[in-house]
Structures are given as structure tokens and as C-alpha cells.
Amino acid sequence: ARVNLPNAISLGRLIVLTPLFVLVLLVGQNPFGALLVLIVLGVTDWADGFIARRFDQVTDFGKKLDPVADRVSQFVVCVTLVFAGLVPLWMAIVLFVSDLLLGIVVMVRQPGIVRVRWIGRVRTVLLMVGFPLLLLIASFAPGNEPLTLAALVVVGAGVVLHALANLQYVAALARTPRGAQEV
């Protein structure tokens, strides 16, 4: 199967941008550079879906690759922020455990494509705002506890909604016949 542009963007996000984020923040100790990489990660996440839909390049491979790239990059970003001392460990654990649970259920149930629900969209927005906010504060106002706390509340809400969204997906999958096309 030929890799089209949206799938190439998703792969690039997974194998180039995600490790680059880790290197820039942990090795380079550059929160602003990491923020720029994170912005590119977000733009490419939007771009691959837009291009796929707009130019009729949606593939089954892409439908599976994009959420995997999203989850892996989101988890790696969170763990990197834990190692950088910007995010508490419990947030990374909640992301990992809820994604692991969902992944196991998806492998066992083998559903079609799982529709994103509103709670999943809100979670994504909170994490896509909260993580960059933490890096922005680390770049320009390090040690500002009120700003850091506010950003951590946004990320924490995103993490909790992430777990709730995954539990919603798991519950929907549990009620769906094995191999059904849409949940």
C-alpha cells in the first residue's frame, strides 16, 4: 500500500516530531524550543486529518495510524513534562493506564472506527492548551506558582476527561458485537 501525504504526516509526527520534543526539552533543556515543536505537532495533527478529508485521501491505515500517533505523542509529551518537573507523575500514569485499558479492549473486541465523542474533543482541547501553557510559563515566567497552578488545572482537567472518555469508549465497545463497524 502506498503511503499518502496525510499518512506520511502522521508517521512524521510519530517518528520525528515526538522524539524531537523529548530531545529539545530534556537534552537541550529548552522549554521554548519544546513549545515550538509542540505547536508543530498540533498543526500536523490537524493538517493530516484536514488533507485526508479535503482531498479524499482517507485510508483505513490512516484511520488507525492517526489516533495511535495522537495517543503516543500525547503520552510521550506528558512523560517528558514529568521528567522536566513540569507535570506531576499521576497525570502520566492516568493517561497511560486509560490508554492501555482502551487498547486492550480494542484489540479484544476488534471494532471498526470508534467515533470521537464530545468529552474526547474537550479533553483534546484542554491538553492542547494546557501542555503549551506549561512550556510558555517555563520559558517566560519560571517559578510563577499561580500561573503554573492554573496551567496544571487545565492539564489535570484534560487528563481526567481523557480517562473518562476512554472509559466511555470501553463501555461502548463492551456493548457492541465483536467486529462491528462503528461505535
Side-chain angles (χ1 to χ4, degrees):
R2 224 176 85 236
V3 174
N4 63 16
L5 181 59
N7 294 345
I9 292 171
S10 292
L11 284 169
R13 191 164 78 241
L14 193 58
I15 61 178
V16 175
L17 291 173
T18 300
L20 182 62
F21 177 84
V22 176
L23 288 172
V24 170
L25 188 58
L26 295 184
V27 178
Q29 297 183 344
N30 182 346
F32 187 72
L35 172 63
L36 296 177
V37 174
L38 192 58
I39 290 168
V40 174
L41 263 167
V43 169
T44 57
D45 181 23
W46 170 83
D48 62 11
F50 174 80
I51 293 167
R53 288 184 298 276
R54 176 75 174 84
F55 298 101
D56 196 28
Q57 294 186 7
V58 175
T59 64
D60 286 338
F61 176 67
K63 288 179 184 178
K64 290 183 169 85
L65 174 63
D66 183 58
V68 168
D70 291 348
R71 296 294 172 94
V72 168
S73 62
Q74 179 179 284
F75 178 69
V76 169
V77 164
C78 189
V79 168
T80 304
L81 291 171
V82 169
F83 278 106
L86 299 173
V87 168
L89 179 61
W90 72 264
M91 291 184 184
I93 291 170
V94 169
L95 287 179
F96 178 74
V97 170
S98 64
D99 280 351
L100 181 64
L101 174 65
L102 180 60
I104 289 169
V105 172
V106 165
M107 283 190 297
V108 170
R109 300 296 296 189
Q110 299 176 345
I113 302 306
V114 177
R115 238 190 353 236
V116 176
R117 290 168 163 70
W118 72 268
I119 196 168
R121 295 184 199 283
V122 172
R123 165 241 9 236
T124 301
V125 168
L126 289 172
L127 293 176
M128 288 181 88
V129 168
F131 287 151
L133 237 106
L134 284 169
L135 290 167
L136 200 59
I137 294 162
S139 298
F140 298 107
N144 186 318
E145 290 184 23
L147 284 179
T148 301
L149 181 60
L152 282 172
V153 166
V154 172
V155 172
V159 166
V160 169
L161 287 180
H162 182 84
L164 292 174
N166 281 6
L167 288 174
Q168 231 182 7
Y169 295 137
V170 166
L173 290 172
R175 293 188 306 265
T176 304
R178 187 181 162 110
Q181 278 310 302
E182 191 173 318
V183 175

